[in-house]
Amino acid sequence: MNLSRVIAWLLRPHGSHGQGGAFLQQLLALTGGAWSPEECSSAKVYLEHGTGDGRIDIMVRSNGRVLAIENKPEADDQPYQLQRYLQYLDGLSLRDYRLLYLTPNGTAPNEKSITLKAAEARVESAHLHLVSYNSTMLEWLSACRAICRADRVSVFLDEVSRAIRKKFQGVSDMSDQEHITDVMAATPQSVAASLLVANTAFALKCRLAGILEQQLAKLIDEKGWKFIAGFSPARYSAIRVDFDERSPVVVSFMFDRANFNSLAIGTEKRQDAKFPSSNLHRAMNSILGASHGGAGEDWPWWQSLGAENALCPLPRDWETDVDVWVKIADGRAALIAMSGIEKVADACLRSLADIEHFQQVFDDQRP
């Protein structure tokens, strides 16, 4: 929400930054917009714009045109969220509109938000644009910095860029990054060595993902539970923990997007299991807090992860995060993940015991 407020303030032509519609014009230029300077300078900017069944994070309107931004630095989409927002914009009878789907790395929405086929059609029609903090937003802030006529605002733009790099790239200080780059580029030999290291970064992440699986396998075996490994760079890669053979669900850690991005933890239904998922969903909500989605067919309860997640404070997107790979190397990530697995398994067993349909099953099989 703080990021949305900053973006909205910069886009607002009558904002206290005093730069009129110049910043809005720069963002439109980067995303294919064709608004006139007059339309930019007279635009109205709204935060949390209501759609009837949801809220678009940022809405910019002017002369029958709309630039909407759905800001997803960490949180995952609600069911049919983008589909509903695009249908809402369709119904406004606008001259044109575009919805920017803003994520750390410009990744596509998952299919519970909008189907892959529908998303591709919307991108083709220019109604949906996939933009990123690590590329688009940093480029936009740089363009704003270049045209800014107020020193205090220029300093603020620099601070926002630094904050984005720290949050999404793990860069604590640009001077550190520049120093490292200088060292890497110092000689032909250092360039060659640096590029060889860069080219092995992906393989290193895959190796570390395997190490994390080994660490978790040992901890899970000590609990007497069963473990199914499956971490890979592919979309929907997951590890699954069978904590009780009587349970119709297992605990899953799943990357909803490729390259170790969009990590979630939750309860995943066993194949062909029949059970009242809505009851489990409600019971888990009462113990662990709200699920980030409804009681789905395959995942009755789940939460997207993030550094601030109380259940399992691991980053949601690992592709550009440095700290999480360090935590894997020193063993901390496995302990954090195991703690989250234990909490979900315990909440699931407590929930199932309270559901009438399973009470008899648990009683009959109790040693």
Side-chain angles (χ1 to χ4, degrees):
M1 189 61 186
N2 286 333
L3 284 168
S4 291
R5 289 193 182 100
V6 169
I7 295 168
W9 179 73
L10 292 170
L11 293 176
R12 191 168 287 120
H14 303 296
S16 57
H17 51 70
Q19 307 305 297
F23 293 163
L24 172 58
Q25 202 160 11
Q26 292 296 321
L27 183 58
L28 288 163
L30 282 173
T31 56
W35 296 21
S36 69
E38 292 75 18
E39 287 171 326
C40 290
S41 63
S42 62
K44 302 293 184 184
V45 180
Y46 306 92
L47 269 169
E48 294 288 295
H49 177 81
T51 65
D53 56 3
R55 293 181 180 275
I56 296 175
D57 292 321
I58 301 170
M59 177 88 89
V60 185
R61 299 193 66 160
S62 182
N63 193 29
R65 303 182 191 276
V66 160
L67 176 69
I69 302 175
E70 186 57 22
N71 184 22
K72 293 292 181 182
E74 289 183 358
D76 212 344
D77 292 355
Q78 298 298 315
Y80 310 109
Q81 185 173 4
L82 278 190
Q83 178 180 313
R84 289 185 281 108
Y85 289 175
L86 287 163
Q87 288 173 345
Y88 168 79
L89 293 168
D90 286 339
L92 295 181
S93 301
L94 300 164
R95 293 173 61 192
D96 67 69
Y97 73 83
R98 59 196 59 236
L99 174 61
L100 308 187
Y101 186 69
L102 176 57
T103 62
N105 299 304
T107 49
N110 59 45
E111 292 209 46
K112 72 172 180 289
S113 183
I114 185 171
T115 65
L116 177 61
K117 184 177 180 180
E120 290 175 345
R122 292 292 193 163
V123 169
E124 182 69 22
S125 69
H127 285 154
L128 177 63
H129 292 256
L130 308 181
V131 297
S132 74
Y133 276 101
N134 285 325
S135 177
T136 314
M137 297 309 289
L138 287 175
E139 187 176 353
W140 174 54
L141 291 168
S142 178
C144 293
R145 178 71 169 80
I147 64 169
C148 185
R149 302 187 303 273
D151 290 342
R152 65 182 180 84
V153 179
S154 295
V155 171
F156 179 72
L157 290 168
D158 290 340
E159 290 298 323
V160 175
S161 296
R162 186 175 293 111
I164 287 175
R165 288 190 176 94
K166 182 177 180 180
K167 182 175 181 64
F168 301 115
Q169 298 178 358
V171 177
S172 58
D173 193 305
M174 280 306 296
S175 62
D176 291 343
Q177 186 182 54
E178 290 166 359
H179 174 69
I180 293 169
T181 304
D182 287 343
V183 172
M184 293 167 65
T187 67
Q189 292 78 14
S190 64
V191 169
S194 299
L195 290 176
L196 283 172
V197 171
N199 289 338
T200 60
F202 181 74
L204 175 61
K205 291 175 182 176
C206 293
R207 175 72 63 85
L208 288 168
I211 290 172
L212 176 60
E213 287 185 332
Q214 293 169 10
Q215 294 167 339
L216 284 172
K218 181 179 179 181
L219 295 171
I220 290 165
D221 184 65
E222 290 171 355
K223 295 278 294 185
W225 296 347
K226 297 178 182 178
F227 172 80
I228 302 171
F231 273 169
S232 78
R235 189 179 187 186
Y236 302 133
S237 71
I239 61 170
R240 295 174 173 88
V241 181
D242 187 349
F243 56 90
D244 193 314
E245 63 182 10
R246 300 168 299 175
S247 169
V249 297
V250 296
V251 176
S252 278
F253 262 80
M254 179 178 284
F255 288 104
D256 193 53
R257 298 190 176 113
N259 297 322
F260 305 109
N261 288 318
S262 194
L263 180 62
I265 187 173
T267 54
E268 184 179 5
K269 188 177 72 173
R270 296 181 192 269
Q271 190 172 10
D272 300 324
K274 305 294 183 184
F275 71 100
S277 57
S278 59
N279 291 346
L280 181 58
H281 175 82
R282 288 192 293 269
M284 295 283 287
N285 279 351
S286 68
I287 297 172
L288 294 179
S291 171
H292 290 164
E297 179 65 22
D298 297 318
W299 286 64
W301 182 93
W302 59 274
Q303 283 187 354
S304 292
L305 297 191
E308 305 303 320
N309 185 287
L311 175 64
C312 185
L314 287 173
R316 180 171 180 262
D317 295 316
W318 293 14
E319 184 175 9
T320 57
D321 192 289
V322 175
D323 187 57
V324 70
W325 301 107
V326 175
K327 282 187 170 75
I328 292 173
D330 66 19
R332 285 179 292 163
L335 296 176
I336 295 170
M338 189 62 195
S339 176
I341 290 168
E342 290 174 332
K343 290 174 185 174
V344 173
D346 178 69
C348 186
L349 288 172
R350 290 165 58 191
S351 298
L352 290 172
D354 289 337
I355 298 173
E356 183 178 354
H357 178 76
F358 291 107
Q359 186 62 59
Q360 188 62 48
V361 175
F362 273 62
D363 290 343
D364 291 346
Q365 297 186 31
R366 185 176 296 146

